[in-house]
Amino acid sequence: MDQQSLELPVLGRSVLASLTIRDVVLIERLTLNFRTGLCVLTGETGAGKSILLDALGLALGARADSGLVRQGADQASVTAEFELRGDHPALAILREQGLDDEDRLIVRRTVSPDGRSRAWVNDQSASVTLLKRLGEELVEVHGQFDTHGLLNPQTHRGVLDAYAGLERDAEKVASLHRDWRKVEDARANAEQEIARARQEEDYLRHAVAELDALAPKPGEEAELSETRAVLTHREKLVEAMNAAFADLSGDRGVERALASAIRTLTRIAEKAGGKLDPVIAALDRAANEAAEGIAALQAASADVDMDPQALEKLEDRLFALRAAARKHGVDVDALSALRKDMADRLLLIEDQGDLLTRLAKEAEAAREAYRKAAEKLGKARRSAAAELDKVVAAELPPLKMEKARFRTTVEPLDPADWGPAGIDRVAFQVATNPGSAPGALNKIASGGELARFMLALKVVLAQTSTVGTLVFDEVDTGIGGAVAAAVGERLEKLGHGLQVLVVTHSPQVAARGAVHLKVQKTAKGNQVTTGVAELDGGDRQEEIARMLSGATVTAEARAAAASLIAGRA
């Protein structure tokens, strides 16, 4: 089958571009390139149609089974390539996982004979969970095999909103719910803080009083430690500084010597022709520096030569600070901040009435705004539900389900269950027999009925989902004639806007396909393999004739097949 360009009519849609299968059950090597529209897969029972669906499911995160590995092969491998468009949700998932978010999405899965599997997304290693998440956004499978999407009640509310164009209203409700919860959380936190502060009030008041008396300052510990080190060596420092002062001053001190030298040179400077000027300037600078040094030495000596009891007082202060820090489990430098925090908590107790009253008013206002918007959304949902029920009901009689009923329930939630999606619970329910109570889709309908319900829903909801590929497995089970023709017409209608893959035994459905693939077994010596061929012209007519007449294809069957194909045109 030649690859053809893919037309994506709806922004944010996806389509399956190709499926490559290696060593899966009876399939040795197979690559299928798909187009948009209705693609029908036919073949005799046991030819391997289910293998194709199993392979696709494997690529989309289904449970790996060692039985899928072809006998004698090292591993089974399936690669599915999708083309994405616009703001498809799969792109957001890829960005969330730090993977390349390209318009082409390639997922690959391998399974070894011991049942272990590996997965890749855009050639980067990925988890099977990620494949499953992506698969739920890319393909919906309806019929005899695993299903999701519309069968999950959690999706029904969003589907109804999309059908009725209520997404913006739903986003507004979600935003108002976030605002409400934010205020409620703030109030709850304030109540907890106040309750904790009340329990600790006596302790806080005592601790703040102690810290106020101590009056700790940031950086004080380092300053005291430095001064303490100086005072510890006070006697040696004083002795050394006094000796230095004696050397620098007095009758033979440096100041007197420099001054005498400067005077002597100054008297004869004129006779030296300027050569002594730099010398005198340097000595003058030295005299000034010496004077400054002596003054600094005197100041330092005065600082050290203090009250001998100063060391004792300093150590008492340092030990008091460190004891307080140990008591409260903080560093000494953090005592000041701790005191402020405790004082703030005491203020919280004193101001609790005003704070809680304000937060309560804000919470009530936010809750009321959310409730009003949610009630408005609920009213619109109920109106849309009635409309949806009506249009789905019109699709059921042609599908041989005239006695079946479809119902969309919109029921109020308990206030405790209100959430970002609103205050309603939405569920699609069906009743397949007259007089029976409606129930959940996946619990009431049988496999064939379920597939037809999904078909009816999908025809109605065709433009609301970003899932661009629908797979129906034997949607025609148990029907024939005009009903099968109606199923074919609806599948063809779906194919105008979506990519639809149908495994069918119905010639009426097969005749509606824009693409017809035949799954068939081929014997190679002692080995049997499954292959797929695209049918056209006479080959397609012959396959539909086989579906009409069985093993022996008659002229009447060929004529009927030609009529079915012509009827599509």
Side-chain angles (χ1 to χ4, degrees), residues 228 232 310-320:
R228 178 171 175 260
T232 301
L311 177 58
E312 183 179 350
K313 293 178 181 178
L314 183 147
E315 288 183 335
D316 288 344
R317 172 68 176 173
L318 185 59
F319 295 157

Side-chain angles (χ1 to χ4, degrees), residues 44-128:
E44 296 181 358
T45 301
K49 297 184 294 297
S50 63
I51 300 176
L52 297 177
L53 297 187
D54 288 342
L56 179 59
L58 187 67
L60 299 177
R63 187 177 66 86
D65 186 344
S66 60
L68 292 174
V69 183
R70 188 174 64 86
Q71 187 175 4
D74 294 333
Q75 67 176 16
S77 172
V78 181
T79 301
E81 183 175 356
F82 293 86
E83 185 163 325
L84 309 179
R85 177 128 180 221
D87 55 351
H88 195 278
L91 295 173
I93 295 176
L94 294 176
R95 288 190 290 268
E96 172 193 316
Q97 298 294 319
L99 299 173
D100 296 336
D101 55 341
E102 303 172 354
D103 292 341
R104 284 268 172 172
L105 171 62
I106 302 174
V107 293
R108 182 162 62 95
R109 183 96 175 271
T110 62
V111 181
S112 60
D114 60 6
R116 290 183 297 178
S117 74
R118 297 183 62 191
W120 292 264
V121 174
N122 286 348
D123 292 326
Q124 298 178 69
S125 181
S127 68
V128 175

Side-chain angles (χ1 to χ4, degrees), residues 150-161 381-382 385-386 388-389 405-413 424-430 438-442 457:
L150 289 175
L151 290 185
N152 181 1
Q154 299 299 321
T155 68
H156 295 176
R157 189 161 42 198
V159 169
L160 180 62
D161 289 346
R381 282 171 172 165
R382 284 186 286 276
L388 178 61
D389 292 350
R405 287 182 296 134
F406 175 86
R407 183 178 73 174
T408 306
T409 63
V410 182
E411 300 175 343
L413 292 167
D424 312 298
R425 178 186 294 107
V426 177
F428 298 152
Q429 297 182 338
V430 298
L441 273 172
N442 56 346
L457 273 170

Side-chain angles (χ1 to χ4, degrees), residues 16-17 62 97 165 198 215 245 288 333 411 416 431 561:
L16 175 63
Q97 298 294 319
R198 282 174 176 168
F245 183 74
N288 290 332
D333 284 346
E411 300 175 343

Side-chain angles (χ1 to χ4, degrees), residues 488-551:
E489 290 174 3
R490 277 149 182 78
L491 289 169
E492 183 182 20
K493 180 179 179 182
L494 268 181
H496 292 159
L498 296 169
Q499 183 182 54
V500 183
L501 278 61
V502 181
V503 176
T504 181
H505 289 288
S506 167
Q508 291 89 345
V509 172
R512 290 283 174 176
V515 177
H516 189 151
L517 305 180
K518 181 180 180 180
V519 183
Q520 55 193 0
K521 288 182 179 180
T522 303
K524 295 181 180 179
N526 295 326
Q527 189 177 34
V528 176
T529 61
T530 291
V532 178
E534 182 175 359
L535 303 182
D536 202 356
D539 291 336
R540 184 180 189 191
Q541 180 180 338
E542 192 70 11
E543 171 64 5
I544 294 176
R546 180 198 64 78
M547 298 171 71
L548 285 166
S549 63

